[in-house]
Amino acid sequence: MNIQFVDLKRQYLLHKSGIDRAISEVINETAFISGKYASKFEEEFSQLYGANYCVTTANGTDSLYIIMKSLGIGPGDEVVTVCNSWISSSETISQTGATPIFVDIDQNYFSIDENQIESKINNKTKALLVVHLHGQVCQMDLIKKIADKHNLHLVEDCAQSHFSEFSGTKAGLFGIAGSFSFYPGKNLGAYGDAGAIITNNESLALECRRFANHGSLVKHNHVIEGINSRMDGIQANILKYKLKYIEEWTEKRIEIAKQYTSRLKSIPQVQCPIIRPKSKHSFHVYQIEVEKRQDLQEFLKLKGIPTTLHYPTPLPFLPCYNHLKYTSYDFPVVFEKSTKILSIPIFPELKNSELDHIVNSIESFYERKSKA
Ligand SMILES: *Cc1c(COP(=O)(O)O)cnc(C)c1O
């Protein structure tokens, strides 16, 4: 058996006629950048999400950058964020000229430890950027209280949490703005780079749209200098087609995660993901914590099962932050956890036979180990 970590081809083949039609429609109308198809997607995405405004962008990294620039974050400011994420969440803070201030993760959920946030806030702090990693929403009731108390902008990185929920509210709707990525492997994935911003704040939506379009809302009237970050029509129309299936696909992920957990939880060397109470985890990633990780990874590879790490090196320990001289004592939880984590394949089209093979292989690895 040869399983893909995310099998994009399998999904394409199941939806070939719809996707091909979506692409050729755009080509027939030559509506390549922003325009009609991006607007249609914005309308449908914001409606389905329950947000007042959606601004499409070129990718999820830009979405974060555009939000922060439009909030006026810049040199001298600090933005408190989590130490365990994809580089985009700290990279874009630095790109505004502000400084990312990292917070360790909590013991259970791999998201920002809400109890440590306040100790990092000072008079330079302008915003809190939280990341709903793996599809698991952060403890947003407490985090929103902290943001309100200190008068901070609350920004949510939803690149991995499309349609996740906490306490009945969707990820991205707790703060001033939610940032989305539609990178092909994401839960809602384009056929190239694409991103979006959602917000209920009209003036922020306008600022974002202007900044993303060279600082202009009306052609040739550049009120500020901006950037070029727009969604192309082909991506927009593919995403609009895929939007019809996102709820079904999310439920499928949740179902697969349930099966994994029910079958893996009896293995003493494996810790399955813990779902935060009152939340809907959309399982962009199914991550376990394991013993003898490297041996297990190699064993699974021989069985045709790819695995990966989210993430092998926590942000503060990446070479680009060497100058900050962080040590394991600064972020002890993520430091320890990062040696045990392992992400196994999850995508809506994963077959039962593949799931069986993955579970059986993990079981047999530890059975053999205990006999050896
Ligand atoms: C994918 C991702 C991004 C960036 O998205 P791109 O569209 O690839 O730029 C940002 N944050 C997180 C947590 C992500 O997983």
Side-chain angles (χ1 to χ4, degrees), residues 141-186:
D141 49 354
L142 299 178
I143 290 172
K144 192 163 169 42
K145 268 191 201 145
I146 296 169
D148 289 345
K149 179 178 161 195
H150 296 274
N151 204 14
L152 303 175
H153 298 302
L154 176 56
V155 179
E156 296 169 78
D157 184 344
C158 307
Q160 301 192 5
S161 60
H162 311 72
F163 299 90
S164 298
E165 293 177 14
F166 175 75
S167 208
T169 300
K170 290 193 192 76
L173 294 174
F174 290 91
I176 182 86
S179 168
F180 288 83
S181 165
F182 305 116
Y183 179 80
K186 297 285 159 81

Side-chain angles (χ1 to χ4, degrees), residues 53 67-68 70-71 73 126-128 140 144 147-148 152-156 172-179 197-205 208:
Y53 306 97
I67 292 168
M68 288 188 278
S70 301
L71 289 170
I73 291 164
K126 286 283 147 47
L128 249 174
M140 293 313 284
K144 192 163 169 42
D148 289 345
L152 303 175
H153 298 302
L154 176 56
V155 179
E156 296 169 78
L173 294 174
F174 290 91
I176 182 86
S179 168
I197 294 160
I198 58 166
T199 180
N200 285 328
N201 184 306
E202 186 180 10
S203 62
L204 180 65
C208 289

Side-chain angles (χ1 to χ4, degrees), residues 19-190:
I19 300 273
D20 289 357
R21 200 178 321 119
I23 295 171
S24 57
E25 261 176 29
V26 180
I27 296 173
N28 278 327
E29 300 216 19
T30 63
F32 294 126
I33 301 292
S34 303
K36 172 175 160 187
Y37 293 101
S39 302
K40 270 193 187 165
F41 173 73
E42 286 175 351
E43 205 177 292
E44 291 194 14
F45 189 66
S46 54
Q47 209 159 55
L48 196 56
Y49 224 89
N52 289 349
Y53 306 97
C54 172
V55 177
T56 46
T57 66
N59 59 70
T61 307
D62 282 0
S63 298
L64 288 168
Y65 180 63
I66 293 163
I67 292 168
M68 288 188 278
K69 287 292 285 184
S70 301
L71 289 170
I73 291 164
D77 297 336
E78 292 185 357
V79 178
V80 174
T81 193
V82 68
C83 63
N84 191 40
S85 181
W86 177 242
I87 182 80
S88 304
S89 51
S90 53
E91 186 178 56
T92 50
I93 295 171
S94 303
Q95 282 160 3
T96 67
T99 305
I101 304 294
F102 295 112
V103 178
D104 206 351
I105 55 171
D106 62 66
Q107 286 286 347
N108 291 329
Y109 308 111
F110 290 86
S111 47
I112 192 165
D113 182 351
E114 60 277 1
N115 298 311
Q116 292 190 45
I117 293 175
E118 281 200 289
S119 68
K120 308 275 178 155
I121 296 173
N122 60 43
N123 58 7
K124 290 184 195 157
T125 315
K126 286 283 147 47
L128 249 174
L129 170 59
V130 298
V131 182
H132 307 305
L133 204 70
H134 305 160
Q136 171 107 281
V137 184
C138 304
Q139 190 67 39
M140 293 313 284
D141 49 354
L142 299 178
I143 290 172
K144 192 163 169 42
K145 268 191 201 145
I146 296 169
D148 289 345
K149 179 178 161 195
H150 296 274
N151 204 14
L152 303 175
H153 298 302
L154 176 56
V155 179
E156 296 169 78
D157 184 344
C158 307
Q160 301 192 5
S161 60
H162 311 72
F163 299 90
S164 298
E165 293 177 14
F166 175 75
S167 208
T169 300
K170 290 193 192 76
L173 294 174
F174 290 91
I176 182 86
S179 168
F180 288 83
S181 165
F182 305 116
Y183 179 80
K186 297 285 159 81
N187 284 18
L188 183 61

Side-chain angles (χ1 to χ4, degrees), residues 135 137 163-166 250-251 254 275 278-282:
V137 184
F163 299 90
S164 298
E165 293 177 14
F166 175 75
T250 305
E251 291 312 314
I254 292 170
I275 300 174
K278 296 198 295 180
S279 76
K280 177 172 168 181
H281 189 319
S282 62

